[in-house]
Amino acid sequence: MKTRLGRIFCLAAVLMVAATVSAQTTQVVVIDSSAPTHPFPHFWEQMFGSGRAVLSLRDSYRRDLREVKQVTDFRYVRFHAVFHDEMGIYDEDAQGHPTYNFSYLDQSYDGLLANGVRPFVELSFMPKKLATNDAPHAFWYKPIPWPPKDYSKWDDLIKQFARHLIERYGISEVNQWYFEVWNEPNLDFWMGNPKQPTYWELYDHTVRALKAVDSRLRVGGPSTAQAAWADDFIRHCAENRVPVDFVSSHVYGDDKSEDVFKTHESIPRNQMVCRAVKKVHDQIKSSSMPSLPLIWSEFNATYMNLPAVTDSSFMGPWLADTIRQCDGLVDLMSYWSFSDVFEEQGVVQRPFYGGYGLIAAGGIPKPAFNAFKLLHQLGDQRIEVNSDSVLATRMPDGSLIVAAWNYSPPEQPGPSRSITLKFKGIQAKEAWISTADPEHGDVHPAYEKMGSPQYPTSAQLGELRKAAILAAPVKQELTNGELTLTLPTYGLAVIRLE
């Protein structure tokens, strides 16, 4: 994850819900309740990334986790550096014999499970005394990205780790977790040379050590950046009879086509993630193991710190459009990350700096938090519609939930947009409309009004949290089975028919 400071684009727009609209062009979308449907599991909200392992011991981390759990179907959390020396798991005595201490690990995982979230265990990074080189990665907390100097000691670490988990939590619990070998080995998080063969060696040792403890443990990789290596990884496992239970990879909306596809295309931010997901999905389906699950264990609209992206209302339409495009291509997607309790670039210095989290420092919900909250309402069956800005779904009780949005790139705010939804085959007479946009659920106007303090007081934090709360849904009567919305740029609406 590379970062740089961005600037906050001032956003101003108004959402209007009306039966009649101005002379602007109106998109008409027909939603037929008898149209074909398919299962629509909420793949985008079952897993989130977060800051490194030791941060999970903090009260602020756990408060944010609970906040996100309340508004999403949050089941798994992934973080780096469970084997970092600050977690204290691995050490060696004066004779070089390994010693183990799982005290912090237990506190971390106990805290997650007590809040209804399971670990998605990323097995990284290397304990300093086990590494071939102790030169750290550039991250502020200095993880060690080197291979082990002794694979027999690495194997024992993995076995002791797995045995401890099973003894503490039971195999019926731990076999519901996932174990992912390393993080982005195609980048500078892995210093084996050459990268791919040395990662295969790491993966082979790790998966065999875990499966030796219990074959029911779910293990996968290659956890690469930029949708890389998946086809080679599957081929390696198949040819060498190495166990694999899932494939994982990462991509961000501003990754480059040269890195992801080896082309020179200009791929828009709202298309990159799902095009990369489809690339790996198709590689799995054409492989010798076509039924392997695909877990996208990191994604976001940017890998940089851009306030005009991750801190802004832009994230609502971007997320909705990403869900629309990735549906059917992936089993789980892990948004990076649920909280700005996060220190890859150092201690957070201000609430809004373009952090990846849904919740800013001080427990302030961002617009992305409200986007997840609204989209959580979508049903579990998706109805086919002819639109790139509408998702239509059905709830188990047969009621319809529809999301509509007005996407524009963050650097190019567009005009407001009118959408007329024409419903067929329904008895509903009214709709309840929830909205998130630059004037609804976006904390920035309140923050700027108080002078954009670097260190908000407790009273100011209370005001900001109130300003981030979404307004109650607005009731709108249908006219001849139709509903017209006018959405501002970066506007997201979720409509429940009754």
Side-chain angles (χ1 to χ4, degrees):
M1 311 270 302
K2 301 173 282 289
T3 65
R4 65 178 174 84
L5 292 178
R7 63 186 182 88
I8 299 178
F9 290 91
C10 295
L11 306 173
V14 178
L15 171 71
M16 296 175 291
V17 180
T20 60
V21 295
S22 61
Q24 69 186 87
T25 302
T26 301
Q27 178 190 10
V28 177
V29 179
V30 176
I31 300 174
D32 187 345
S33 64
S34 64
T37 65
H38 64 260
F40 189 55
H42 286 203
F43 58 89
W44 68 90
E45 62 168 358
Q46 296 179 29
M47 177 176 161
F48 286 87
S50 79
R52 71 190 191 280
V54 76
L55 298 181
S56 66
L57 304 180
R58 291 189 188 170
D59 183 57
S60 55
Y61 178 104
R62 294 181 179 184
R63 285 200 308 266
D64 289 355
L65 182 145
R66 287 190 289 270
E67 288 292 315
V68 175
K69 175 71 175 177
Q70 286 178 3
V71 301
T72 67
D73 191 18
F74 191 7
R75 302 180 188 180
Y76 294 96
V77 65
R78 171 183 178 267
F79 43 66
H80 304 319
V82 73
F83 294 144
H84 193 291
D85 285 351
E86 64 190 354
M87 287 293 286
I89 291 176
Y90 182 89
D91 201 355
E92 294 181 1
D93 63 19
Q95 289 73 44
H97 300 135
T99 63
Y100 302 100
N101 183 347
F102 297 109
S103 174
Y104 275 7
L105 180 76
D106 293 347
Q107 293 178 51
S108 171
Y109 287 179
D110 287 358
L112 298 181
L113 294 168
N115 286 292
V117 176
R118 293 188 167 105
F120 183 98
V121 185
E122 177 199 301
L123 297 164
S124 71
F125 289 101
M126 196 59 60
K128 185 176 292 187
K129 289 185 179 179
L130 187 51
T132 56
N133 188 317
D134 64 3
H137 184 272
F139 277 172
W140 180 78
Y141 64 89
K142 296 180 172 54
I144 305 298
W146 296 86
K149 62 185 177 185
D150 184 337
Y151 264 108
S152 66
K153 289 183 176 179
W154 173 261
D155 293 348
D156 190 61
L157 166 61
I158 297 300
K159 289 177 182 177
Q160 295 290 343
F161 179 80
R163 288 186 186 121
H164 177 78
L165 296 179
I166 293 170
E167 288 170 2
R168 186 172 184 85
Y169 302 110
I171 188 60
S172 62
E173 169 62 33
V174 180
N175 69 5
Q176 297 182 71
W177 302 6
Y178 295 89
F179 294 82
E180 183 184 44
V181 181
W182 215 254
N183 173 70
E184 299 186 351
N186 57 320
L187 300 184
D188 59 356
F189 296 100
W190 176 247
M191 297 303 290
N193 186 28
K195 282 185 178 292
Q196 200 176 75
T198 56
Y199 175 75
W200 296 164
E201 183 179 18
L202 177 79
Y203 179 83
D204 295 358
H205 274 270
T206 306
V207 67
R208 285 172 173 148
L210 285 166
K211 296 287 188 179
V213 174
D214 198 296
S215 62
R216 290 169 288 182
L217 298 180
R218 298 188 290 192
V219 192
S223 189
T224 42
Q226 301 163 347
W229 292 11
D231 49 353
D232 292 338
F233 173 70
I234 297 170
R235 190 177 306 112
H236 165 79
C237 292
E239 292 176 354
N240 295 278
R241 298 185 178 181
V242 180
V244 57
D245 297 304
F246 63 88
V247 173
S248 64
S249 196
H250 309 158
V251 87
Y252 287 78
D254 50 6
D255 270 317
K256 302 296 184 289
S257 63
E258 288 83 357
D259 296 324
V260 181
F261 300 105
K262 311 305 178 189
T263 68
H264 298 290
E265 303 169 79
S266 178
I267 300 176
R269 191 185 300 269
N270 66 323
Q271 296 180 21
M272 172 57 79
V273 169
C274 295
R275 281 191 56 176
V277 169
K278 187 176 188 305
K279 168 190 165 181
V280 178
H281 170 272
D282 291 350
Q283 288 174 339
I284 294 171
K285 294 306 178 186
S286 63
S287 76
S288 60
M289 291 185 272
S291 61
L292 280 173
L294 174 57
I295 299 178
W296 212 260
S297 53
E298 284 186 28
F299 83 102
N300 203 318
T302 179
Y303 59 79
M304 299 186 284
N305 289 147
L306 299 177
V309 179
T310 49
D311 288 345
S312 77
S313 290
F314 161 82
M315 292 302 297
W318 182 86
L319 178 65
D321 202 29
T322 298
I323 292 168
R324 177 187 67 85
Q325 295 176 67
C326 286
D327 176 31
L329 300 176
V330 63
D331 293 270
L332 291 174
M333 292 186 76
S334 179
Y335 183 89
W336 189 265
S337 57
F338 78 79
S339 170
D340 278 353
V341 178
F342 195 91
E343 295 174 350
E344 289 182 356
Q345 292 76 47
V347 177
V348 172
Q349 299 179 14
R350 59 186 60 83
F352 302 108
Y353 67 98
Y356 310 113
L358 301 183
I359 301 179
I364 307 168
K366 299 184 191 179
F369 176 93
N370 284 326
F372 272 94
K373 183 176 183 178
L374 288 185
L375 294 167
H376 176 69
Q377 300 177 41
L378 292 173
D380 61 2
Q381 292 286 321
R382 182 175 169 186
I383 302 170
E384 292 184 13
V385 296
N386 185 22
S387 175
D388 61 3
S389 56
V390 171
L391 270 170
T393 67
R394 179 183 293 125
M395 298 289 284
D397 64 3
S399 60
L400 300 187
I401 309 290
V402 178
W405 57 90
N406 182 3
Y407 177 86
S408 292
E411 64 277 3
Q412 296 175 345
S416 60
R417 182 181 185 189
S418 291
I419 302 176
T420 294
L421 305 176
K422 296 184 65 172
F423 296 97
K424 291 186 175 182
I426 63 168
Q427 301 299 316
K429 302 297 183 183
E430 59 189 28
W432 290 90
I433 305 166
S434 301
T435 56
D437 59 53
E439 291 197 352
H440 299 82
D442 190 331
V443 71
H444 285 89
Y447 181 66
E448 292 162 6
K449 185 177 180 180
M450 63 175 59
S452 302
Q454 183 174 359
Y455 307 111
T457 65
S458 294
Q460 288 173 325
L461 288 173
E463 291 180 39
L464 293 171
R465 293 184 194 116
K466 288 181 181 178
I469 296 173
L470 288 171
V474 175
K475 185 171 74 170
Q476 177 73 27
E477 301 294 329
L478 271 62
T479 303
N480 298 321
E482 296 184 6
L483 178 71
T484 296
L485 308 173
T486 299
L487 297 169
T489 188
Y490 311 133
L492 170 66
V494 171
I495 304 103
R496 178 185 296 270
L497 297 188
E498 292 185 0

